[in-house]
Amino acid sequence: GPATQPARLMSTRDSAVAESSPSVPPTRDVIETQWQFVTDDLRPLHAQLESSADLAGFNLVRLAPLDLTDRYIDTADLRLARAGFALRLRSDGLHNTATLKSLQADSACPKQRRKITQPMRDGRIESLLTASGPVAERTRTVASGAPLEAVFTAHTHREVFRALHGDVDVAAITLDSTELGNSGQVTATDLLQRVEVDLHSAAVGAVQPLIDKLRESALLKPALASKFETGLASVGRTLPAPPDAGTGM
């Protein structure tokens, strides 16, 4: 039949709603500024960051590593992706979250994407379908009753280093080693090694020396595809055409 028209989502911003418990991730609606790189081997960069107190004038603080399980969810005909965003259910062993990220067709560096996250009581699709909150509500709007399924799963070991300028948390340097597979019996997996830098404060230009130093010392290459696109490819799918101008989250 004819392709379902992408619903108009996220035409207005939702204010962030802080949860009462600091241990529960808050509901957030932000514009994320992020540099994305790929590499053949994360180990040299990890060793360098771990042994360095600073890099390009920024103080480095290593955070506790994370092991993440992400399931990327959509309908069989990828209605959510066609509407211009990826839906991710994440578990880090302590908390579960549901996140919508806008998809960018261009190769801009850094990328700026809208990111909406809400806490979940568990990681089940059924729980998302009955939950309140901006991610759940938008997902139901676009799915329009079509069943949701896990398109692919990503298991990631993440190392995080905060980059400080004085006492200011300027950016986070994230080293991800990700195994991609489908949601059932994984018969083929692909190891994806990525470095991402998320801007927390300060202007993009102020962080450029840090970006340049990372690229120079670790032989990083700009990521030409998002983790979502790479995951789709790992299960033989491709990213649908972007929605018409004016649509989106």
Side-chain angles (χ1 to χ4, degrees):
T4 303
Q5 287 298 311
R8 293 177 179 272
L9 296 181
M10 300 184 181
S11 56
T12 59
R13 294 294 300 274
D14 292 290
S15 57
V17 180
E19 297 291 332
S20 57
S21 169
S23 63
V24 176
T27 297
R28 302 180 69 221
D29 180 358
V30 299
I31 300 296
E32 174 185 73
T33 301
Q34 185 183 73
W35 289 260
Q36 300 177 355
F37 303 102
V38 293
T39 182
D40 295 327
D41 190 354
L42 285 170
R43 290 172 297 180
L45 178 59
H46 182 265
Q48 179 187 2
L49 295 177
E50 197 173 29
S51 63
S52 302
D54 69 85
L55 186 69
F58 293 86
N59 298 321
L60 299 179
V61 177
R62 186 185 181 191
L63 304 185
L66 295 169
D67 287 298
L68 308 172
T69 298
D70 294 332
R71 289 193 302 153
Y72 285 82
I73 309 300
D74 211 323
T75 62
D77 59 355
L78 299 180
R79 290 184 189 186
L80 307 184
R82 292 214 311 271
F85 64 93
L87 170 61
R88 180 189 72 203
L89 298 182
R90 166 169 288 178
S91 173
D92 64 4
L94 291 175
H95 305 115
N96 296 283
T97 55
T99 297
L100 287 171
K101 277 194 179 188
S102 59
L103 296 171
Q104 270 194 329
D106 59 49
S107 56
C109 193
K111 293 182 181 296
Q112 289 195 313
R113 301 177 299 177
R114 192 158 179 204
K115 177 180 177 181
I116 302 180
T117 299
Q118 71 174 73
M120 297 283 295
R121 67 174 182 266
D122 58 47
R124 298 185 307 128
I125 295 175
E126 296 78 12
S127 298
L128 180 67
L129 288 173
T130 58
S132 59
V135 175
E137 290 160 6
R138 285 174 169 83
T139 297
R140 286 193 293 270
T141 297
V142 178
S144 300
L148 294 174
E149 60 187 34
V151 182
F152 68 91
T153 302
H155 298 281
T156 298
H157 179 74
R158 169 169 290 181
E159 298 279 352
V160 184
F161 295 83
R162 277 199 177 137
L164 307 176
H165 197 267
D167 294 329
V168 179
D169 180 5
V170 174
I173 305 168
T174 301
L175 282 62
D176 281 354
S177 181
T178 299
E179 189 178 77
L180 297 169
N182 61 27
S183 57
Q185 293 296 316
V186 178
T187 56
T189 57
D190 190 20
L191 190 63
L192 180 64
Q193 299 191 86
R194 291 171 66 99
V195 177
E196 297 175 347
V197 181
D198 288 277
L199 187 66
H200 289 172
S201 60
V204 168
V207 185
Q208 198 60 51
L210 177 66
I211 301 298
D212 293 342
K213 188 66 174 177
L214 284 170
R215 292 194 62 179
E216 169 193 324
S217 58
L219 301 177
L220 302 180
K221 298 167 285 189
L224 299 179
S226 67
K227 192 176 292 182
F228 180 67
E229 290 175 87
T230 306
L232 282 179
S234 76
V235 292
R237 307 291 296 271
T238 57
L239 188 65
D244 296 334
T247 63
M249 294 192 290

